């Protein structure tokens, strides 16, 4: 997998919101550098009190200057925090937007390479890790500017003591280089273990009924404990190593403090060649004022270098969520919406250019990796107002044919023409109002029934009631506690299988498409409801002549109404024609008619 360099990702995030980044960067550098002033003020104040320096500003003037410097720093820190958090939130939003956009650009029937739980873990933890890291740069720069200027001031006062402060920096760099590979291994293992736990939880919660039916609760809990224990061990190892590294940095800094204080104590007793003190109380106060920041620079540098090492791991984990997408698309600039609900879903009204006269496909081919199964050399010819049924045994390629036609699976060969014009990108072409699709297992969300039908469309622009009527859902809506406002639960769990399918059908109808594509729509319907559904569809088609149907089904109610039937067997067209012709000439159709579908 091609990687995205850490510095490239960082630079693109900075370019996305340069104003906010520049604002808090300047405030970081200025704010940290301004802490030099209190040290100089304290030096002058104590030297003035002890008579070790000539008279300058008065006592109260120095106090006022010190208070003003602190007040300015507080205001600057508040402004910096606002700019920094704003930048960070925009960076989070951009990374998540790009990942989700790249996932949605993939063929719709292609599953994610990871479990949903692991994907959410990466969208949270790894995104935050990468988006937060740019804040290190101005913090480290400000700290470094303070330290360099402070060291120059300290060196001008006492070179020997100042040199003792530099030694911890060298030790930190050596430790980071020695621990780099192990830190990466621990971080990688920790992130993967977390993803495994969240992924398993998501799968287990989705399969609660299957677990209970199989009486497998104990096994599920045992597996969860096993994954959690692996995660605990990985987290403890990584955290322990991190803490040991930070402990080493801290102890190095403390050792530097101790050396400086010992040297300063000795210097206070020394006498300069001019007869005065070689190291004044004011000098000591300045050193003590600067020491926390100067000595902590090694720990800051160590944290920066350690965090840098983990960036490549987090970037790789995010790229794994969007296989096939260019790595640079992870940080591609685009609109994000923070303070408002974002753009409304556009409602594209049907126009003459959307009208379907004929849809032709030739040579459609797709093979599933690993199994070699799929479809090969498939042809279709649909005319306006026709009702075409695709039938065949389980595994014959019915659903695969629909998905390749609609761009939900990447076709390996063949071409598709709409009214004679070549369709270059089926996935973006076969959308409302040209076409609408209902899968065999429809996807519903834990929202109201109406929201599941509208899916973002403005209610005033469509006819929800007519769509509900066409989908034979009006009686079910009347029996629900809150009608169309009833929350259907995760994946529509509060609805029966037939209600879920008809909700998906209403979602199709409300978009008023030219081509209606159903994948075994009536499989979960009782005979009476199925008859009413097909009857209403044909009545509307005869009344308005406004749509064409392509249906996967083995149900007699659909086969009897079909203008044209395509019989599939092992990924190829076995026969096609009208029902009466096929029952006389096609052995496969005869088996299907008698109920043999496997």
């Amino acid at each position: 997998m091609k990687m995205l360099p850490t510095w490239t990702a960082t630079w693109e995030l900075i370019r996305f919101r340069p104003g906010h980044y520049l604002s808090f960067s300047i405030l970081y550098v200025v704010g940290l550098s301004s802490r030099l002033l209190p040290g100089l003020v304290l030096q002058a104040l104590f030297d003035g009190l002890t008579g070790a320096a000539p008279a300058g500003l008065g006592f109260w003037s120095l106090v006022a200057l010190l208070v003003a410097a602190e007040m300015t720093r507080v205001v600057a820190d508040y402004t910096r925090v606002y700019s920094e958090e704003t930048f960070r939130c925009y960076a989070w939003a951009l990374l998540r937007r790009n990942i989700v956009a790249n996932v949605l650009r993939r063929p719709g029937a292609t599953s994610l390479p990871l479990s949903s739980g692991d994907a959410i873990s990466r969208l949270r933890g790894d995104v935050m890790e990468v988006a937060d890291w740019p804040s290190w740069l101005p913090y480290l720069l400000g700290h470094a500017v303070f330290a360099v200027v402070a060291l120059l001031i300290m060196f001008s006062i006492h070179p020997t003591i100042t040199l003792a402060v530099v030694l911890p920096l060298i030790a930190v760099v050596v430790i980071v280089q020695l621990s780099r590979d192990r830190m990466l291994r621990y971080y990688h293992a920790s992130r993967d273990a977390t993803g495994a736990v969240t992924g398993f939880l998501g799968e287990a919660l989705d399969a609660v009924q299957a677990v209970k039916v199989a009486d497998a609760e104990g096994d599920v809990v045992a597996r969860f404990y096993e994954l959690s224990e692996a995660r605990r061990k990985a987290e403890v190892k990584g955290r322990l190593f991190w803490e040991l590294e930070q402990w080493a940095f801290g102890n190095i800094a403390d050792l530097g403090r101790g050396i400086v204080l010992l040297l300063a104590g000795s210097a206070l007793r020394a006498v300069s060649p001019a007869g005065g003190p070689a190291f004044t109380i004011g000098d000591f106060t300045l050193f003590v004022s600067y020491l926390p920041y100067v000595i902590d620079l090694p720990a800051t540098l160590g944290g920066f270098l350690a965090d840098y090492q983990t960036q490549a791991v987090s970037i790789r984990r995010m790229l794994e969520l969007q296989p096939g997408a260019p790595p640079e698309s992870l940080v591609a600039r685009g609109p994000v919406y923070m303070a408002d609900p974002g753009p409304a879903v556009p409602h594209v009204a049907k126009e003459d250019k959307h009208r379907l006269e004929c849809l032709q496909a030739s040579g459609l081919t797709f093979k599933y990796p690993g199994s070699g199964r799929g479809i090969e050399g498939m042809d279709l010819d649909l005319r306006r107002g026709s009702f075409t049924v695709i039938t065949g045994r389980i595994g014959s390629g019915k659903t695969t044919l629909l998905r390749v036609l609609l761009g939900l699976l990447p076709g390996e060969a063949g071409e598709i023409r709409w009214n004679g014009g070549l369709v270059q990108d089926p996935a973006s072409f076969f959308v409302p109002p040209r076409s609408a699709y209902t899968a065999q297992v429809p996807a519903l969300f834990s929202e109201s029934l109406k929201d599941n039908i509208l899916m973002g469309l403005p209610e005033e622009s469509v006819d929800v009631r007519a769509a509900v009527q066409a989908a034979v859902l009006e009686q079910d809506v009347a029996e629900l506690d809150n009608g169309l406002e009833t929350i259907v639960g995760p994946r529509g769990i509060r609805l029966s299988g037939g209600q879920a399918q008809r909700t998906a059908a209403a979602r199709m109808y409300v978009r008023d498409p030219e081509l209606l594509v159903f994948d075994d729509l009536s499989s979960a319907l009782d005979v009476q409801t199925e008859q009413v559904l097909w009857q209403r569809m044909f009545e509307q088609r005869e009344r308005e002549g406004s749509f064409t149907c392509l249906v996967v089904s083995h149900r007699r109610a659909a086969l009897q109404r079909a203008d044209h039937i395509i019989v599939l067997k092992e990924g190829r067209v076995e026969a096609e024609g009208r029902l009466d012709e096929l029952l006389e000439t096609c052995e496969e159709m005869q088996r299907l008619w008698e109920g043999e579908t496997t």
Side-chain angles (χ1 to χ4, degrees):
M1 180 180 63
K2 186 178 178 182
M3 278 295 294
L4 179 69
T6 297
W7 286 111
T8 300
T10 303
W11 175 241
E12 290 302 321
L13 290 177
I14 292 172
R15 290 179 62 201
F16 179 57
R17 279 293 180 271
H20 289 111
Y21 191 83
L22 185 62
S23 173
F24 81 78
S25 296
I26 292 174
L27 289 170
Y28 249 135
V29 175
V30 172
L32 286 169
S33 301
S34 67
R35 293 175 181 174
L36 292 164
L37 181 59
L40 295 171
V41 172
L42 289 172
Q43 181 192 35
L45 182 63
F46 279 94
D47 281 347
L49 290 173
T50 59
L57 293 175
F59 174 82
W60 290 111
S61 297
L62 289 173
V63 171
L65 184 61
L66 187 62
V67 171
E70 287 301 304
M71 292 298 296
T72 302
R73 184 182 61 80
V74 169
V75 174
D77 282 350
Y78 177 83
T79 308
R80 173 191 57 77
V81 169
Y82 173 81
S83 298
E84 183 179 6
E85 290 303 314
T86 302
F87 170 83
R88 185 177 284 119
C89 289
Y90 271 105
W92 293 343
L94 179 69
L95 291 171
R96 288 167 180 151
R97 168 198 176 276
N98 288 340
I99 292 173
V100 172
N102 286 327
V103 168
L104 294 177
R105 289 190 190 102
R106 303 178 72 222
T110 306
S111 60
L112 281 173
L114 308 163
S115 68
S116 57
D118 192 9
I120 291 173
S121 173
R122 298 181 188 215
L123 281 170
R124 181 186 181 278
D126 292 297
V127 163
M128 293 178 67
E129 178 70 27
V130 173
D132 292 352
W133 194 75
S135 298
W136 265 108
L137 300 175
Y139 178 71
L140 182 65
L141 178 61
H143 210 135
V145 168
F146 175 94
V148 169
V149 176
L151 287 171
L152 290 174
I153 295 173
M154 294 162 70
F155 189 84
S156 67
I157 296 173
H158 202 294
T160 304
I161 298 177
T162 306
L163 289 175
V165 178
V166 178
L167 296 178
L169 293 173
I170 301 173
V172 165
V173 173
V174 172
I175 290 175
V176 169
Q177 289 301 315
L178 293 176
S179 64
R180 177 178 180 275
D181 291 340
R182 180 162 297 195
M183 171 63 74
L184 285 176
R185 288 200 304 270
Y186 286 150
Y187 182 77
H188 187 284
S190 174
R191 300 303 302 170
D192 284 351
T194 299
V197 170
T198 54
F200 179 78
L201 275 176
E203 293 174 352
L205 292 173
D206 285 343
V208 169
Q209 291 183 346
V211 171
K212 292 180 71 66
V213 168
D215 193 23
E217 293 94 329
D219 293 332
V220 169
V221 172
R223 178 58 177 164
F224 177 64
Y225 176 81
E226 179 183 341
L227 292 173
S228 298
E229 183 65 10
R231 179 193 179 192
R232 183 188 67 80
K233 291 179 179 179
E235 289 279 0
V236 168
K237 286 181 180 179
R239 189 64 185 175
L240 178 60
F241 191 79
W242 171 269
E243 292 293 342
L244 285 173
E245 195 173 59
Q246 297 305 305
W247 171 82
F249 297 153
N251 276 275
I252 289 172
D254 289 340
L255 180 61
R257 283 191 187 91
I259 293 173
V260 169
L261 290 174
L262 287 173
L263 293 174
S266 176
L268 282 171
R269 295 191 298 269
V271 178
S272 70
F279 195 70
T280 68
I281 296 297
D283 295 336
F284 179 77
T285 306
L286 179 141
F287 267 66
V288 171
S289 174
Y290 288 172
L291 267 181
Y293 302 106
V294 175
I295 295 296
D296 283 345
L297 180 60
T300 302
L301 178 62
F304 170 81
L305 295 174
D307 205 18
Y308 172 74
Q309 295 168 7
T310 66
Q311 297 305 300
V313 176
S314 289
I315 290 173
R316 180 189 60 77
R317 285 169 54 83
M318 288 190 290
L319 291 177
E320 288 174 351
L321 269 177
Q322 49 174 57
E328 58 272 15
S329 66
L330 179 66
V331 288
R333 280 171 285 175
V336 297
Y337 303 92
M338 305 293 290
D340 54 61
V345 177
H347 173 59
V348 181
K350 188 187 294 185
E351 302 177 13
D352 290 341
K353 66 180 181 180
H354 299 127
R355 181 181 175 88
L356 171 62
E357 295 297 341
C358 64
L359 175 62
Q360 297 167 313
S362 58
L364 296 184
T365 300
F366 173 80
K367 299 292 184 180
Y368 289 99
S371 68
R373 304 185 65 179
I375 59 171
E376 185 173 356
M378 292 286 187
D379 298 334
L380 284 175
D381 190 352
L382 308 181
R383 300 293 166 173
R384 181 173 184 79
S386 63
F387 184 84
T388 302
V389 175
I390 301 171
T391 192
R393 303 189 200 188
I394 294 173
S396 61
K398 305 183 295 297
T399 296
T400 302
L401 174 56
L402 293 188
R403 290 176 172 177
V404 173
L405 175 70
L406 300 176
L408 300 176
L409 285 174
E412 298 170 4
E415 65 177 26
I416 304 167
R417 293 186 177 274
W418 178 281
N419 297 339
L422 183 65
V423 178
Q424 298 285 359
D425 182 14
S428 61
F429 185 86
F430 286 104
V431 295
R434 287 193 184 92
S435 71
Y437 169 65
T438 293
Q440 188 172 6
V441 180
L444 300 182
F445 300 88
S446 188
E447 301 291 342
S448 69
L449 185 63
K450 182 170 67 176
D451 286 338
N452 272 281
I453 294 173
L454 290 172
M455 287 287 286
L457 291 181
E459 186 175 0
E460 62 275 9
S461 301
V462 296
D463 192 342
V464 178
R465 295 290 176 182
V468 169
Q469 176 76 17
V472 198
L473 198 58
E474 69 279 7
Q475 185 60 40
D476 301 85
V477 171
E479 294 174 358
L480 294 174
D481 294 338
N482 297 310
L484 285 172
E485 300 298 333
T486 301
I487 303 298
V488 301
R491 301 194 178 189
I493 195 171
R494 296 181 183 176
L495 302 179
S496 68
Q499 289 173 329
Q501 285 188 320
R502 282 176 287 142
T503 299
R507 181 189 293 169
M508 293 180 64
Y509 287 128
V510 82
R511 283 156 172 76
D512 190 24
E514 284 284 292
L515 173 65
L516 289 151
V517 182
F518 298 97
D519 190 351
D520 210 1
L521 173 66
S522 58
S523 62
L525 304 184
D526 60 75
V527 175
Q528 182 178 358
T529 302
E530 180 186 7
Q531 291 286 357
V532 175
L533 186 144
W534 294 126
Q535 179 182 344
R536 290 183 182 179
M537 177 185 293
F538 275 85
E539 288 175 353
Q540 182 178 353
R541 190 184 67 162
E542 292 170 1
R543 182 173 61 252
E544 302 176 7
S546 59
F547 54 78
T548 304
C549 293
L550 179 61
V551 177
V552 164
S553 181
H554 63 275
R555 302 285 285 264
R556 291 191 176 190
L559 294 169
Q560 289 170 335
R561 295 176 179 272
D563 301 315
H564 189 72
I565 300 172
I566 301 173
V567 182
L568 302 187
K569 184 178 180 180
E570 297 179 356
R572 294 178 178 273
V573 175
E574 178 75 4
E576 55 184 311
R578 295 187 64 86
L579 177 62
D580 52 356
E581 300 169 354
L582 293 172
L583 288 175
E584 291 181 2
T585 61
C586 178
E587 184 178 348
E588 187 72 9
M589 184 71 245
Q590 293 167 3
R591 289 197 184 99
L592 294 169
W593 186 255
E594 295 301 325
E596 186 180 333
T597 60
T598 59

